[in-house]
Amino acid sequence: MRHETWRDMTAVASSEPVAGDAAIISASIDEPEHFAALYGRYANQLYRYAYRRVGPEHAEDVVADTFVAAFRRRDSYDTARTDARPWLFGIATKEIARWHRAEAARYRAFARSGAAPADDGMADAVADAVSARAAGPALTEALASLAPGDRDVLLLAAWGELTYEQIAGTLEIKVGTVRSRLHRARRILRARLRSQGWTEQGRTEES
């Protein structure tokens, strides 16, 4: 049933969107087909975020569930928030929590294979200058070791490209909490990477 509903919603995603996100959501209360414009606007971003966290096996389900859940909650959306992206990323992050075993398995698989998550710029965002591709095993092990709340904040910043204020709204926490979680996550990642011989300049010579 979920995917039938999703197909119905996305069938009109190519229709002309209303100018702003809040306006789209408001219009969709009486004319549900307007909501599909949000899919055309944000589905790719949400898919990339979900793909990196839970892999291609579950990313489509995460995106589908995110938009179905958002559609059902659209009448409670705060239209003072003109940008719906943080709201959608918040729903997606909660959906991803249901796949926490898949996410942990994905990181373990990356660590075993020596590959990196699908983001060459990841290390620049979390450890200043380390090459994510080269540091793949250490980086993915470190990501897997983070507390879920810290990992959510880190990846919403690095992969969702949300601001501190947007992350706070997304996760319904204070901006100060975002800062402290992000600081802790980055500190843990740096420590883990350095324990594997990585510095901001790259890998050190092995002894």
Side-chain angles (χ1 to χ4, degrees):
M1 176 66 76
R2 178 190 65 198
H3 292 292
E4 282 78 1
T5 303
W6 181 239
R7 282 196 291 270
D8 291 342
M9 188 191 305
T10 58
V12 291
S14 60
S15 61
E16 188 68 22
V18 182
D21 295 347
I24 290 171
I25 295 169
S26 294
S28 73
I29 302 300
D30 295 323
E31 299 178 88
E33 64 272 14
H34 283 297
F35 196 83
L38 289 183
Y39 170 78
R41 192 169 288 182
Y42 297 120
N44 286 342
Q45 296 177 41
L46 290 167
Y47 180 81
R48 287 194 297 271
Y49 174 67
Y51 182 100
R52 289 163 175 166
R53 294 196 62 169
V54 297
E57 302 86 354
H58 307 299
E60 288 187 3
D61 285 337
V62 168
V63 175
D65 289 344
T66 295
F67 277 100
V68 170
F71 181 78
R72 290 172 177 165
R73 300 176 200 170
R74 70 193 189 284
D75 59 344
S76 64
Y77 182 78
D78 180 5
T79 54
R81 300 171 64 181
T82 58
D83 182 1
R85 194 167 65 101
W87 178 59
L88 292 170
F89 269 93
I91 296 172
T93 299
K94 290 177 182 176
E95 294 295 336
I96 286 169
R98 296 170 47 208
W99 300 97
H100 66 279
R101 289 187 179 86
E103 183 177 21
R106 182 166 170 79
Y107 292 143
R108 287 195 298 270
F110 276 129
R112 288 194 301 269
S113 69
D119 189 324
D120 290 342
M122 177 64 185
D124 287 337
V126 298
D128 292 336
V130 178
S131 166
R133 183 173 299 279
L139 181 59
T140 50
E141 285 177 5
L143 286 173
S145 75
L146 295 175
D150 292 354
R151 185 166 57 242
D152 286 343
V153 168
L154 176 72
L155 298 183
L156 282 168
W159 290 345
E161 299 181 353
L162 301 186
T163 66
Y164 290 179
E165 290 75 15
Q166 288 173 328
I167 294 170
T170 293
L171 300 179
E172 299 180 345
I173 57 179
K174 295 180 179 179
V175 173
T177 302
V178 172
R179 294 180 186 279
S180 63
R181 289 184 182 180
L182 192 56
H183 175 76
R184 181 167 56 242
R186 285 171 167 163
R187 176 171 48 79
I188 290 171
L189 286 186
R190 289 190 181 101
R192 289 280 184 141
L193 290 169
R194 286 168 180 161
S195 73
Q196 298 291 325
W198 287 91
T199 70
E200 284 78 3
Q201 287 72 44
R203 190 171 180 85
T204 60
E205 292 294 328
E206 296 184 359
S207 57

